[in-house]
Amino acid sequence: MILRLSIASLFARALTVGMTVLAIALSVALFLGVEKVRTGAKASFADTISGTDLIVGARSGSVQLLLYSVFRIGNATNNVTWESYQDIASRSDVEWIVPISLGDSHRQFRVMGTTTAFFEHYKYRQGRSLAVSDGAIMDDLFDTVIGADVAATLGYSVGDPIVVAHGLASFSEHKDQPFRVSGILEKTGTPVDRTVIVSLEAIEAIHVDWQSGAQVPGQSTPADVIRQMELTPTAITAALVGVESPLQTFALQRAINEYDEEPLLAILPGVALQELWGIVGIAETALLAVSAMVVVTALIGMMATIFSSLNERRREMAIFRAMGARPLTILSMLVLEAMVMAAVGALLGMIILYVGLFIAQPILDSAFGLWLPIDAPSLREVWVILAVICAGAIVSMVPAFRAYRMSVADGMMVKT
Amino acid sequence: MPKRVLDISNVAYRWPGRAGFSLTVPRLSVAEGESVLLLGESGSGKSTLLSLICGTILPDSGKVCIAATDTSLLSGGARDKFRAEQIGVIFQQFNLLPFGSVLDNILLPLRFAPARRKRAGNAAAEAAALCAALGLPEDTVATKAIALSVGQQQRVAVARALIGHPPLIIADEPTSALDANSQAAFLDLLFSQTTTHQTSLLMVSHDPRLGERFDRVIRMEDIAQIKRAAA
């Protein structure tokens, strides 16, 4: 009966209570939304590369290697010689190996030289393979496959010629050997979307007339001559490796790290991703803290609402007292009321979150490659809601205690 | 000598925070089934006296006995429960919780008084019977209290005070918000109920014209003294 009267009392003050509940709902939706984006971003991040057991590159830091080989951020300090690559490739525990050669760019996008094995072995988001949405995988020396963002940003379609620039953000373009777009990849939400992929030989081909980073003056080898040349690279930037059996991963990693001929580094992508996430995690925590503050603000707003309602409800409390309610009953009624508001707010926030997710999911996926799964509320989210209700109860103690003191002082006679 | 429902002896009360202000009531008693009108101007200490009787404030000295129980010996919580069990209260106005239904309002004291609830038997049925006896339409029970007229609200307050038959009804100027005709009708209904159930009634008013309907009329200035500090 008390609960029913409390709810009836809340309904009687529908406008202010509604505003308070809405504020709590929005703050909870924001908090849970940030949490969703955070876990989604983390998952998307981890989904950038899957199915690869080791990444091999010149010895540097594991995060650095991961950044330049997978995320195309930063540069390699050194290369891996073709001989070392061959050595690793020929090991019996290596099931497959995909060489990657970076260093050139097209407009703002990086060019990556690799083999067709890349399309077979590079996996993202729990083992999904790359797929061509238009055209085909390159089969000519001057063919290129471009990521979805490259095609969308530069307006390329299959058959368009493109010119590759040497180095990054450079004005010296390899004008002699224009490439042709042979295929456009489907959107993946990974850095592949922003990559121009050519064959490993093509990277060699465009550097035929170049020495020490500059074109040899007056020298220009025609394309059909280049086609006749031996275009085996002398070095690559990194390699993706798959092992025969997962058990061999660590042995292979150690073998590569202790390789005598050249200082190399082999990393487990998952471990390096964790390491990287550890760095990014600070911003994530800050974001979470800010949204938690918003929840606290909403609860304090509720406290203010209860406070301001106390005076107009003195008579109501006096009636309760006259009917035999103890001051403690008055206190618990106010706390109960706050808990009802917080609970309704939290649940409404949950609904807002899910409706928002439902609307935003496809947009976020296509715009940012951020896939937010719509799951049943996790245990963590249930805890968040319980925490909000408890915090609401605690916060309401302040006005409730004031009401307690008022009802002791007033008794059943309101002095007006 | 008939049983006393209310018996006050040598009660003294000092208002907190106002040094020198004090109320003393040497003697006031109400017998079972008796109706008493207590006349007093505003500022005569009526409200304080009612609070003392109801046990929301405690006397500094003296005894307030209700149904042969000295309420000052009870703990705070027990006193609240005792009030719910023994006393039906009717205010001047704004008696009801506006957001609750009439039934909710009538049953409210029973929520805090288990024995009274037991006495009421089928509480909803008794509430309906009281409403009928007080001339409220049958369908009022489910309506929200705020939708009623002032006169109807006062009758609901009477039903609430009477439910479960507490031995004592305290009414604080219940008719002051009503016009003369309604006043008479209201008192008719109130008296018909208190006589049926042998309920004692202590009503406070400033209007001496109501006196003829009561067994006894007492004046505040005859039974109580207010001391004011020399200015």
Side-chain angles (χ1 to χ4, degrees):
Chain A
M1 181 175 190
I2 293 293
L3 179 67
R4 207 175 71 238
L5 283 174
S6 286
I7 290 169
S9 165
L10 286 173
F11 267 106
R13 286 171 284 129
L15 192 66
T16 46
V17 168
M19 289 300 176
T20 309
V21 166
L22 191 66
I24 294 171
L26 287 176
S27 73
V28 168
L30 177 70
F31 184 82
L32 293 179
V34 164
E35 182 75 4
K36 278 271 182 207
V37 170
R38 196 178 68 94
T39 48
K42 196 171 178 176
S44 275
F45 207 67
D47 283 350
T48 305
I49 186 162
S50 84
T52 298
D53 295 310
L54 288 173
I55 300 171
V56 180
R59 191 163 296 165
S60 56
S62 56
V63 170
Q64 194 191 0
L65 175 54
L66 180 81
L67 280 177
Y68 70 70
S69 65
V70 176
F71 291 94
R72 323 252 188 278
I73 296 169
N75 294 300
T77 44
N78 213 339
N79 284 336
V80 178
T81 62
W82 187 248
E83 287 72 33
S84 305
Y85 168 75
Q86 293 286 6
D87 264 4
I88 296 165
S90 61
R91 287 178 62 104
S92 63
D93 45 4
V94 172
E95 192 197 347
W96 53 264
I97 184 161
V98 176
I100 290 173
S101 190
L102 298 159
D104 290 298
S105 67
H106 173 70
R107 303 286 193 91
Q108 66 268 48
F109 300 105
R110 302 244 178 154
V111 172
M112 180 179 80
T114 185
T115 63
T116 48
F118 180 77
F119 298 98
E120 192 183 324
H121 294 298
Y122 179 82
K123 298 273 164 50
Y124 68 100
R125 205 182 284 175
Q126 282 109 45
R128 280 209 226 175
S129 294
L130 297 173
V132 177
S133 66
D134 196 12
I137 288 170
M138 66 256 187
D139 65 353
D140 183 72
L141 181 60
F142 292 112
D143 272 357
T144 161
V145 172
I146 59 175
D149 286 352
V150 180
T153 313
L154 302 178
Y156 287 156
S157 51
V158 172
D160 286 354
I162 69 171
V163 172
V164 174
H166 181 64
L168 306 167
S170 154
F171 298 102
S172 53
E173 294 189 335
H174 299 266
K175 286 213 181 80
D176 302 334
Q177 291 85 30
F179 284 77
R180 187 187 71 92
V181 175
S182 77
I184 296 168
L185 292 174
E186 273 177 8
K187 180 94 183 167
T188 61
T190 70
V192 172
D193 294 343
R194 298 183 301 277
T195 307
V196 174
I197 301 169
V198 299
S199 69
L200 214 49
E201 291 77 21
I203 296 281
E204 289 305 308
I206 55 179
H207 294 106
V208 162
D209 295 325
W210 292 61
Q211 263 162 28
S212 326
Q215 193 165 18
V216 180
Q219 189 178 327
S220 177
T221 317
D224 41 333
V225 177
I226 292 175
R227 284 181 196 280
Q228 306 306 316
M229 293 169 72
E230 174 66 31
L231 291 170
T232 309
T234 53
I236 56 165
T237 311
L240 309 179
V241 178
V243 294
E244 287 283 346
S245 139
L247 297 171
Q248 297 163 330
T249 310
F250 293 102
L252 180 62
Q253 185 187 21
R254 196 177 315 117
I256 294 170
N257 285 339
E258 292 169 357
Y259 187 67
D260 286 335
E261 316 293 318
E262 191 182 0
L264 293 180
L265 175 70
I267 57 163
L268 296 155
V271 175
L273 277 169
Q274 282 301 321
E275 222 172 291
L276 184 52
W277 192 255
I279 301 165
V280 180
I282 297 165
E284 158 209 40
T285 314
L287 199 61
L288 205 61
V290 169
S291 51
M293 292 305 285
V294 176
V295 176
V296 171
T297 310
L299 289 174
I300 289 175
M302 175 175 79
M303 180 168 90
T305 312
I306 298 176
F307 254 123
S308 66
S309 75
L310 286 187
N311 258 333
E312 60 192 76
R313 294 171 69 195
R314 271 182 120 144
R315 211 171 283 282
E316 185 185 314
M317 291 187 281
I319 294 169
F320 271 108
R321 288 281 283 140
M323 293 308 117
R326 300 163 61 176
L328 206 60
T329 313
I330 307 276
L331 182 137
S332 45
M333 265 167 48
L334 284 172
V335 173
L336 184 74
E337 204 170 272
M339 284 172 77
V340 169
M341 279 197 267
V344 172
L347 290 177
L348 189 65
M350 200 78 160
I351 293 168
I352 293 173
L353 172 73
Y354 275 97
V355 171
L357 265 184
F358 204 75
I359 296 166
Q361 191 185 44
I363 302 166
L364 284 177
D365 189 34
S366 64
F368 303 107
L370 183 60
W371 180 254
L372 301 179
I374 299 179
D375 298 327
S378 67
L379 196 63
R380 200 183 150 88
E381 285 164 324
V382 173
W383 276 116
V384 167
I385 287 182
L386 287 179
V388 168
I389 297 172
C390 286
I394 292 166
V395 161
S396 70
M397 285 294 193
V398 183
F401 190 68
R402 190 180 152 81
Y404 175 93
R405 293 222 318 243
M406 264 163 57
S407 68
V408 169
D410 285 357
M412 31 180 255
M413 305 297 168
V414 181
K415 295 163 193 94
T416 41
Chain B
M1 188 176 172
K3 220 169 88 185
R4 281 178 188 150
V5 172
L6 171 67
D7 198 7
I8 291 179
S9 51
N10 301 319
V11 161
Y13 177 76
R14 248 189 310 278
W15 280 282
R18 292 202 282 171
F21 265 87
S22 68
L23 174 75
T24 49
V25 183
R27 182 140 206 99
L28 172 66
S29 60
V30 177
E32 192 175 25
E34 190 186 18
S35 60
V36 177
L37 180 68
L38 180 58
L39 289 172
E41 298 305 316
S42 54
S44 59
K46 290 179 296 182
S47 296
T48 307
L49 181 56
L50 291 187
S51 292
L52 284 165
I53 294 170
C54 290
T56 51
I57 54 175
L58 279 178
D60 296 310
S61 61
K63 284 210 295 191
V64 176
C65 290
I66 290 166
T69 304
D70 184 352
T71 56
S72 53
L73 299 178
L74 299 171
S75 71
R79 236 180 308 127
D80 289 326
K81 191 177 160 207
F82 185 79
R83 172 169 65 255
E85 297 282 12
Q86 307 293 337
I87 306 176
V89 182
I90 306 168
F91 293 120
Q92 212 165 337
Q93 51 182 336
F94 309 116
N95 265 294
L96 308 180
L97 299 173
F99 45 79
S101 72
V102 166
L103 187 65
D104 282 338
N105 270 290
I106 294 175
L107 299 185
L108 187 59
L110 303 186
R111 165 67 182 70
F112 304 103
R116 191 168 158 191
R117 165 159 222 122
K118 214 171 277 171
R119 281 203 300 273
N122 182 347
E126 181 166 340
L130 279 166
C131 282
L134 290 163
L136 288 164
E138 210 175 302
D139 56 355
T140 356
V141 176
T143 52
K144 285 232 185 294
I146 200 168
L148 301 182
S149 70
V150 178
Q152 284 175 319
Q153 287 193 22
Q154 289 306 80
R155 280 184 268 167
V156 172
V158 172
R160 183 180 62 188
L162 287 166
I163 195 160
H165 312 301
L168 179 63
I169 304 280
I170 301 276
D172 183 8
E173 309 226 24
T175 58
S176 66
L178 305 176
D179 58 57
N181 285 336
S182 314
Q183 275 186 9
F186 176 83
L187 288 178
D188 286 342
L189 289 168
L190 182 57
F191 277 113
S192 74
Q193 290 300 313
T194 50
T195 12
T196 321
H197 296 108
Q198 275 294 292
T199 312
S200 309
L201 172 65
L202 177 63
M203 186 162 138
V204 173
S205 179
H206 62 272
D207 187 355
R209 287 172 301 170
L210 301 172
E212 59 197 30
R213 313 189 61 154
F214 286 81
D215 298 339
R216 194 145 62 92
V217 179
I218 49 180
R219 291 182 175 275
M220 195 65 194
E221 54 265 36
D222 296 339
I223 59 151
Q225 288 90 48
I226 292 187
K227 276 199 194 115
R228 291 184 169 83

